Amino acid sequence: MNFIQGALTWANALSVEHTLILIFGIFIFCEWLAGRLAKLSLHNLNDSLRNMAIGAISFTCDFLFTILTLPLWMYMFHHIRFFEFDQGSVWMFVVLFVLLDFSEYWFHRLSHEINLLWQAHVVHHQSRFFNLTVGLRTSLFVPLFSIFFYSLFPLLGFDPEKVMLVILLQGVYQLLIHTKLVGKLGLLEYMIVTPSAHRVHHGKNEIYIDKNYGKFLILWDRLFGTYQAETEPVEFGITRPLEKEDVMHAVFSPFKNLFIAFRRAQSKAIRKTLLFGNPAVAGKLQEKVMKKQYVYLGRRIFGRLF
């Protein structure tokens, strides 16, 4: 009895963030246990630990970034907002939820279509596994770009605290759909982003690349022609695997390689493509720039020796 009372006292003292972390940790353990019992290879210890380490770095940076941006959003909301809303209205909250989800769809889609944004987002796709820990694997650089999308909402007249709440709710949902344990969900596949729909998004199969960008509603993918059902086994990961599978390399190497190629590029057109071109095109161009530089250096070195 004393143990139960002590546990309840401890639970009541937890913040919302700590409570969510605890609950999610329990979910991860349950997923791992279910996979073991079903003899499914859901987790790789090293990969899952890397995912959680990257997630811890990202969570810390998100928290610090929120502390910095919230006062700005509050100023925008109180002094320069364009519209007035009843902040206590249920309909206002529903509209905010839908508009934020729409914004997330386009930010996510652009993160796959613009190479500079992809260098931040690619961290989330690097794992060759698909489990709840993959949901934690996000780059610390993402808020530097997403802030421009989110800042529209205080300007439109939505309370920043409610904006943060919706972002949190949608983020928690996104974490939970990173699993192979849940199959297709019937009619829900036509309404929301299910684990099946999101497995497709993480696939590097040709038919799955750049599909299913939605965060909560699958409506946007169906409306804008980016929906793909799960029709064949998903091969997870990215088409250009990491050279080294460690935390710092996973987070920083995409921007490091882009920066090196950008400096070595010999024309404005190449630099423009490296930054704003399609990631597939920009990636091939980046490899060519790096290769030509190595060939050039080789000729200079060996040309002097022989």
Side-chain angles (χ1 to χ4, degrees):
M1 190 67 180
N2 290 333
F3 172 78
I4 295 175
Q5 288 179 343
L8 290 174
T9 301
W10 176 77
N12 289 331
L14 290 176
S15 65
V16 174
E17 293 82 1
H18 289 139
T19 302
L20 289 175
I21 292 171
L22 176 62
I23 293 173
F24 194 65
I26 294 172
F27 279 10
I28 291 173
F29 174 76
C30 291
E31 180 189 46
W32 171 81
L33 182 60
R36 295 282 291 183
L37 293 174
K39 296 183 179 180
L40 299 174
S41 180
L42 299 181
H43 285 263
N44 172 275
L45 179 60
N46 289 334
D47 184 77
S48 294
L49 290 175
R50 275 193 299 271
N51 294 341
M52 289 188 280
I54 293 171
I57 295 170
S58 176
F59 177 82
T60 302
C61 292
D62 281 350
F63 178 74
L64 295 174
F65 202 73
T66 299
I67 292 175
L68 295 174
T69 56
L70 189 56
L72 172 63
W73 287 3
M74 295 301 291
Y75 179 85
M76 294 164 64
F77 174 68
H78 287 294
H79 298 285
I80 54 177
R81 67 177 183 261
F82 300 146
F83 305 104
E84 295 283 344
F85 298 118
D86 177 5
Q87 299 300 320
S89 168
V90 174
W91 287 111
M92 183 282 301
F93 191 82
V94 172
V95 170
L96 173 61
F97 192 96
V98 173
L99 288 179
L100 263 171
D101 199 63
F102 179 70
S103 175
E104 286 280 4
Y105 167 85
W106 279 106
F107 176 66
H108 195 177
R109 180 169 175 173
L110 291 175
S111 295
H112 281 252
E113 296 179 349
I114 297 175
N115 195 46
L116 181 62
L117 299 181
W118 173 246
Q119 302 314 305
H121 184 59
V122 67
V123 176
H124 184 59
H125 286 265
Q126 291 167 342
S127 177
R128 293 177 288 105
F129 297 84
F130 191 77
N131 52 61
L132 291 174
T133 69
V134 175
L136 299 171
R137 187 180 182 127
T138 58
S139 172
L140 59 91
F141 296 105
V142 170
L144 298 177
F145 303 107
S146 62
I147 183 64
F148 296 103
F149 282 77
Y150 291 145
S151 294
L152 292 173
F153 292 90
L155 280 176
L156 291 174
F158 293 102
D159 185 343
E161 292 184 355
K162 289 185 170 59
V163 173
M164 291 287 187
L165 176 60
V166 173
I167 291 172
L168 176 63
L169 292 174
Q170 292 181 346
V172 170
Y173 180 77
Q174 267 284 305
L175 290 175
L176 296 176
I177 60 176
H178 288 82
T179 183
K180 294 168 69 176
L181 289 178
V182 180
K184 292 192 176 184
L185 298 176
L187 290 176
L188 288 178
E189 300 290 338
Y190 293 90
M191 295 181 282
I192 62 175
V193 179
T194 63
S196 174
H198 202 62
R199 285 194 292 270
V200 165
H201 178 70
H202 277 259
K204 62 179 180 178
N205 314 47
E206 187 174 350
I207 65 167
Y208 292 159
I209 292 176
D210 296 338
K211 299 295 183 182
N212 298 359
Y213 297 113
K215 192 167 188 179
F216 181 76
L217 297 173
I218 202 65
L219 164 69
W220 316 121
D221 288 290
R222 292 184 178 275
L223 188 62
F224 296 111
T226 53
Y227 176 75
Q228 173 61 50
E230 187 178 17
T231 56
E232 63 181 52
V234 183
E235 186 178 355
F236 300 103
I238 52 178
T239 55
R240 293 183 179 87
L242 289 168
E243 300 90 355
K244 293 188 298 181
E245 293 192 347
D246 65 68
V247 172
M248 293 297 107
H249 183 78
V251 175
F252 293 103
S253 66
F255 277 110
K256 174 188 172 184
N257 294 335
L258 176 62
F259 177 73
I260 293 172
F262 184 84
R263 287 190 60 190
R264 293 177 177 176
Q266 297 178 348
S267 74
K268 290 183 178 179
I270 292 176
R271 290 192 176 105
K272 183 179 178 181
T273 301
L274 287 173
L275 292 180
F276 306 111
N278 180 276
V281 176
K284 292 178 181 178
L285 183 60
Q286 180 174 306
E287 288 179 357
K288 288 182 179 179
V289 170
M290 303 288 276
K291 184 177 180 181
K292 285 182 180 178
Q293 185 68 19
Y294 291 136
V295 170
Y296 175 70
L297 287 173
R299 286 173 178 170
R300 287 186 62 186
I301 294 170
F302 289 104
R304 291 175 181 177
L305 294 175
F306 302 101

